[in-house]
Structures are given as structure tokens and as C-alpha cells.
Amino acid sequence: MKRRLGAVAKYGFLIAVSLVSLFPLYWMAVSATNSSLAVIRGALLPGKELINNYRNLLGNQDLWRAMTNSFVNALSLTALALLVCSVAGYAFEIYHTRAKDALMNVLLLAMMIPFAATMIPLFRMFSDMQLISTTIAVILPTISTPFLIMLFRQSARSFPHDIIEAARIDGLGELRIFFRMFFPTMRSTYAAAMTIVFMNAWNNYLWPRIILFDSKSLTMPMLVSNLIFGYVTDYGMLMLAVLICTLTTIIIFFFLQKSFAEGIVGAIK
Amino acid sequence: MTDKAPAKAHLTPRRRTITQKRSLVGWAFLLPAALLILWMNFYPMFQALWMSLHKGIGAGMTWAGLYNYERMFKDTVFQQTLVTTFTYLIVQVPVMLVFAIILASLLNDKKLKCKGFFRTAVFLPCTTSLVSYSIIFRSLFAADGYINHILVGLGILETGYNFLGTPWSARMVIIIALLWRWTGYNMIFFLAALQNIDSSIYEAARIDGASPFQQLRRITMPLLKPMILLTAIMSTNGTLQLFDESFNLTRGGPGRASLTMSHYLYQLAFEKAPNFGYATAVSYVILALVAVLALIQMRVGDKR
């Protein structure tokens, strides 16, 4: 009896938490298909206003430009960050010397530097270089991060050194060993890193807001944020914009979920 | 024997050059990443310190000594943002970590049904961007939003309550939103750590008659300590830098009741009359707080 009561409490708690977790997302998705008036009246079922909201959104904001910009920024950052940080993490582990270990410790300190403390000089630096409103300015500060280097150093630790030796005897160059052997075997780490970097890049708001002046370089989070500046909020249109912005990261998460979990567990071990 | 010795002597220097060569390859591999961190993190950090000791803007910045730091003691808005940010920190971080640990230990149960569903449900909020969830919560808690719709519908309130227009409720909404967004994220770290704990420890505890609560306190918590330390430092770091929520959910309001330090910093540097000197001084307070709180947490984490 007591046991059963415990089980009821456990499942009850988990169901309640799941409901609280999912409800705002459900409400967002449903509201995207309803008129603003229906949303205010408390509509909780899908409506027929999706096309209408979409039309309003297109008339109001440059949706496809924002989508393109967000994809270009996020994909170029992800590709560069994965390349630069995985090569570095691999080198810190495989070719480690005392000097390299010391350098790694210094780089790790950068994790404790809040972005708030660097954003103003960064802004000045990029405006001096006349790179305001460019993709380079958006992505350059976050291509190399201590977190990602550490993630790849950790995964290089589990990469058997015998294989490297064998490959060297077979006459493979160091660069080839990395690309032909390390890269393919560490797929789950790359998938985890990709998920994290892409999501952060896609969702980043403060830095793009500072560095992107031109309305042509608008990103998705900026577009969503712009919609609440008016006096009257069209909830249907607003939630459709939020839905489009969120759907991208949710889809990526579901595709990479399994390898994401494996990669994170592997890195923590 | 005799002709083997010179061959060996010949081999050693050659080998050394190979290891040296490899070490150089290693440097070449890690150099781009290292230079980028120095250029994009450390260099601006020191530049911010230099700027915080200056007045004016652009090339016309003049030496001001500690003026900008002294100014903070008289700036009531800054002091208010400090209090607000710490309110978020003290209320939200402990509650979130406790929830995350409870959820992780429930989801670590091998016999649990629908585990995949629960885990995805709890983690899903983390996939939304900070701007998106801020706006979802802003809409839910609006005067004509869904929360008021329910409260009025149930007869708890007669008319909608202006959650975002009252200082304490506006701060509460931000805390609730933060809990919603980040609990699942921290849960993943705890879950990963729990999966490394041998389940036979729990078996033994159960046989010895330990209640679930005792198991949590005596086994789970001590083993999770390093992870608690990590998540506490990460969450503290994040909370001290809150911007998107303040900017999009409450716009810092009503008045400046929910304004965070980072949001204030943004206003100082990029709105109305930009003041880079004073703004960078405020940013150094955030930097110092992050460092000091991380040190304290590491000390406390070590002792326990």
C-alpha cells in the first residue's frame, strides 16, 4: 500500500512537471494558429488563422531574410568552431607538453570572463575595423571557446594512441591522422558539440543586437523581439514568429538527441 | 655488436627531431584557437579595465582614475540592479538545483515507465531561445494573458492582475520563467553523473532499510557534489549576466524594478548617451562578482 502511494506520488509529480514544461510550448503552437482575439479569450485548440498570421507576419517583418541570416550565421559559426576547437583539443591531448598544458590552463580561465566585461571593447574593436553589421563580427568572438576545446581534449583522451602510432608507421601524416581517423571515430562528440554551438549561435541575442545595425542583417531572435515594440500586440502573429524561431532548434535537437546525450555523458566521464 | 652502437647513436638525434617536429605540429594545430581566445577574450578584458579608468568617448577618452568606480556608490539605479540581480540569484538558483536533482534521481530509475517521454518533456524548454521563451512568458502573464484568463475563470480573481506592472510580481515572473527554462538543462548534467553511479549501492541501501529520502541525502547528494559545484557556478555566472529576460520579458519594468545589471550596462553603453567609461566599470563589477562567487563556491564545495 505504502509502495503504491509512493509510485502514485512519483508519477503524479513527473506528470505535473511535464505538463508545466510542455504547456507554454503547446500554448505557443496553438496560439500561432489562432487570431489574436481568440488567444486573449483563452483558445486552447488549434484554429484556422495560421495562413492569416503568416501573411501578417510577412507584411510586418522580413521573415525570410531573418531566417537566411540566422542560418548563415549559425552554420558558419558551427563549422568554424568545430574545426578550430577540435583540432586544438586534439593537439592539447595528443601532442601535450608542459608548455601546452600551461597554455590550456590559461585558456580555461577565459571561461570565467563574463561576456558583459568584453562586449564594449569588442564593439569598439569591430567598429574600428569597419566590420559592423557583418557575419564575421557576429561569429568571430565565439569561434574558439575553452568549453569546446575541453570537450574535444576529453574525447581525445579516449582515442587509442596505438592507432596513431600504427598510422604513423604506415606513413600517414599528422593532419591526415586527425581527419581520417580521429574525426570519423568521434562522431558523437562532434554531434554534441554541433548541437550546442548551433543552438547557442541561433539563439544568441545580445551580441547580434549590439553589432548588427543594418535592418538587412536582422536575425530571428531580433525579429521576434521587434514584434513586441508596438503598442498593440497581435498574439497570433507574435506566437507564429516565436514558433518558427523555436522549431528550428527543436528539429535539430530531435535529430541529434541520441548522439548529444552520448557525447555529453562521454565528456563528463 | 660493434656496428650496432653507431646506428643507435644515429637514431637518437633523429628521433628527437621527430618528436620536436610533432610538437611543432601540435602548436600549429592549437594556435588558431589559442590566438582567438587571447584576441577575443583576454585582450578586450584588459581593454575594458583601461576604459573603465577613463572618461569621454571614442578617441577623446581622458584619464579619470577611479571616478567611474566612485560614481557607483552614488548611483541608486546601479544599486537597485545589484539588489534585483541578487534576488534572482538567491531565490532561483537553489530552487532550480534542488528540482533538477529530484528530477534526475527520479528519471534515473531503470524501472520507470515512459522515461523517454518525461526526459524529453523536461529538457524541451532548453531548446527555446532566450528571446522566445521570454516572449512566451510575457504573453502568458500579460494583463490579458492566459494565466489571468484561468485565474478569472476559476473565480480566484475578479479582473486580470497586472503581473508585469507590479514590482514584486514582475520579478517573480522572471524567476518562474528562469526555472522553466533552465531546470531541465541542469537536470541533464545530474542525470549524466547519476548514470555513472553503480546501482548496487542503492540495492544495498534498500536492503539495509534506507528510505528514499535517506538514499537521496546519504548516497546521491555526496556523489553528486562535483556536479552540484559545476552547475552552481554555471548558474551563478549566467544569472549575474541576465539580459534577454530583463530586456524582452519585463523591459526592466515596471520602472526599473526588474532591471538586471547586464541590462543596465547595455542601457549605459548603447542607449541614449553612451558612456563607455562608466559602463565598463559596471562590467568590471560583474566580472569581480563572477570570480568571487566562483571562488567561494569552490571553497565551500571543497570543505563539505
Side-chain angles (χ1 to χ4, degrees):
Chain A
M1 189 60 199
K2 202 180 167 193
R3 210 175 195 184
R4 188 172 259 179
L5 220 65
V8 168
K10 189 159 91 181
Y11 281 99
F13 179 72
L14 284 174
I15 289 167
V17 168
S18 303
L19 279 178
V20 172
S21 269
L22 295 177
F23 178 74
L25 295 171
Y26 174 77
W27 183 82
M28 161 193 70
V30 164
S31 299
T33 68
N34 277 306
S35 70
S36 193
L37 194 68
V39 174
I40 292 168
R41 287 197 179 141
L44 275 188
L45 291 170
K48 289 173 182 158
E49 299 293 316
L50 182 66
I51 306 286
N52 220 349
N53 287 334
Y54 178 67
R55 256 190 228 126
N56 287 342
L57 183 59
L58 279 192
N60 207 303
Q61 297 278 329
D62 204 343
L63 176 71
W64 291 107
R65 185 183 288 274
M67 280 298 263
T68 315
N69 287 339
S70 277
F71 266 112
V72 168
N73 293 346
L75 287 177
S76 50
L77 175 64
T78 310
L80 284 170
L82 255 56
L83 179 69
V84 168
C85 295
S86 68
V87 170
Y90 174 82
F92 273 119
E93 177 61 30
I94 304 296
Y95 308 102
H96 82 102
T97 55
R98 204 173 282 173
K100 290 194 187 85
D101 290 349
L103 178 64
M104 185 69 206
N105 286 335
V106 173
L107 296 185
L108 280 177
L109 280 179
M111 274 216 236
M112 296 311 293
I113 306 175
F115 182 68
T118 56
M119 67 184 190
I120 296 166
L122 280 176
F123 169 75
R124 233 178 52 159
M125 204 156 99
F126 283 110
S127 65
D128 285 348
M129 294 191 287
Q130 301 194 320
L131 286 174
I132 298 272
S133 296
T134 60
T135 305
I136 302 172
V138 180
I139 67 172
L140 204 57
T142 37
I143 288 178
S144 176
T145 53
F147 171 76
L148 219 53
I149 299 175
M150 211 169 67
L151 188 77
F152 281 107
R153 190 181 66 162
Q154 210 67 21
S155 67
R157 205 157 277 179
S158 66
F159 187 63
H161 287 224
D162 304 351
I163 292 185
I164 300 176
E165 283 305 325
R168 277 175 185 156
I169 290 165
D170 285 349
L172 234 61
E174 300 296 314
L175 207 59
R176 282 221 176 135
I177 295 175
F178 175 80
F179 280 112
R180 294 252 179 98
M181 313 198 67
F182 181 77
F183 183 71
T185 41
M186 293 298 157
R187 251 189 224 137
S188 68
T189 311
Y190 276 95
M194 204 171 117
T195 318
I196 295 166
V197 177
F198 185 90
M199 280 193 188
N200 284 344
W202 183 271
N203 293 337
N204 197 1
Y205 177 65
L206 177 56
W207 179 239
R209 179 157 199 106
I210 293 170
I211 203 74
L212 300 176
F213 282 18
D214 196 347
S215 64
K216 281 180 185 160
S217 46
L218 184 83
T219 65
M220 273 313 283
M222 286 163 87
L223 178 144
V224 171
S225 172
N226 282 350
L227 287 172
I228 56 165
F229 272 96
Y231 283 100
V232 186
T233 310
D234 181 339
Y235 284 115
M237 180 178 83
L238 179 65
M239 285 306 139
L240 179 62
V242 174
L243 177 68
I244 294 171
C245 182
T246 308
L247 220 48
T248 317
T249 45
I250 289 188
I251 290 170
I252 286 174
F253 169 72
F254 273 111
F255 264 112
L256 297 174
Q257 190 180 19
K258 214 175 166 199
S259 30
F260 173 73
E262 278 168 19
I264 287 293
V265 171
I268 286 167
K269 269 180 189 168
Chain B
M1 270 311 270
T2 38
D3 53 56
K4 247 186 187 175
K8 222 177 192 177
H10 172 72
L11 239 168
T12 339
R14 210 174 130 216
R15 241 189 211 154
R16 202 172 278 152
T17 51
I18 282 175
T19 41
Q20 270 172 349
K21 222 183 197 171
R22 277 186 198 143
S23 176
L24 275 180
V25 170
W27 282 111
F29 277 11
L30 60 82
L31 214 57
L35 286 179
L36 270 173
I37 288 179
L38 294 178
W39 186 28
M40 291 289 133
N41 295 83
F42 287 103
Y43 174 63
M45 182 183 83
F46 291 116
Q47 218 181 6
L49 181 64
W50 182 87
M51 284 166 90
S52 75
L53 300 171
H54 286 74
K55 260 195 266 192
I57 199 158
M61 286 185 97
T62 53
W63 179 256
L66 291 175
Y67 169 80
N68 288 319
Y69 291 92
E70 281 159 16
R71 191 177 148 183
M72 274 184 258
F73 289 99
K74 284 175 264 165
D75 184 353
T76 50
V77 179
F78 166 74
Q79 286 156 16
Q80 198 186 356
T81 61
L82 194 67
V83 172
T84 306
T85 308
F86 269 89
T87 312
Y88 295 152
L89 184 71
I90 291 163
V91 178
Q92 186 253 336
V93 174
V95 174
M96 175 182 69
L97 294 185
V98 168
F99 258 108
I101 292 170
I102 293 172
L103 282 171
S105 48
L106 286 180
L107 290 177
N108 192 37
D109 184 354
K110 283 207 178 77
K111 281 172 267 168
L112 189 77
K113 281 169 197 148
C114 309
K115 194 158 73 172
F117 167 76
F118 288 131
R119 197 161 49 189
T120 308
V122 174
F123 187 74
L124 216 50
C126 302
T127 58
T128 59
S129 79
L130 300 182
V131 174
S132 295
Y133 95 92
S134 298
I135 286 171
I136 294 174
F137 274 79
R138 180 188 168 85
S139 309
L140 279 173
F141 281 93
D144 54 5
Y146 194 74
I147 302 293
N148 272 319
H149 181 79
I150 293 179
L151 292 175
V152 172
L154 291 174
I156 297 169
L157 290 176
E158 255 171 48
T159 53
Y161 184 75
N162 194 358
F163 286 105
L164 302 178
T166 321
W168 278 104
S169 58
R171 290 183 199 128
M172 273 311 292
V173 172
I174 287 207
I175 290 172
I176 291 169
L178 285 170
L179 286 173
W180 181 81
R181 173 65 170 72
W182 292 104
T183 305
Y185 178 80
N186 288 291
M187 189 269 296
I188 291 291
F189 285 90
F190 291 127
L191 198 57
L194 284 177
Q195 279 165 359
N196 291 340
I197 300 176
D198 194 352
S199 60
S200 62
I201 301 176
Y202 291 101
E203 295 285 332
R206 221 169 292 143
I207 290 163
D208 287 345
S211 72
F213 179 72
Q214 278 173 323
Q215 288 174 29
L216 186 73
R217 225 191 111 204
R218 304 275 168 177
I219 304 173
T220 314
M221 292 301 258
L223 287 171
L224 280 184
K225 210 182 71 185
M227 206 46 87
I228 295 173
L229 186 64
L230 177 77
T231 50
I233 291 176
M234 286 195 308
S235 313
T236 308
N237 209 332
T239 311
L240 287 174
Q241 295 187 67
L242 277 186
F243 172 79
D244 299 22
E245 291 83 352
S246 174
F247 193 84
N248 289 299
L249 210 167
T250 58
R251 323 236 91 188
R256 281 165 172 149
S258 64
L259 194 70
T260 61
M261 289 169 80
S262 277
H263 189 178
Y264 182 50
L265 174 67
Y266 175 85
Q267 290 183 341
L268 287 173
F270 302 109
E271 278 178 1
K272 290 163 203 156
N275 186 340
F276 283 176
Y278 187 48
T280 45
V282 170
S283 80
Y284 254 71
V285 174
I286 299 179
L287 183 117
L289 285 173
V290 167
V292 169
L293 289 179
L295 274 179
I296 292 174
Q297 281 162 340
M298 279 186 233
R299 273 280 166 81
V300 173
D302 265 351
K303 263 184 200 154
R304 245 188 246 154

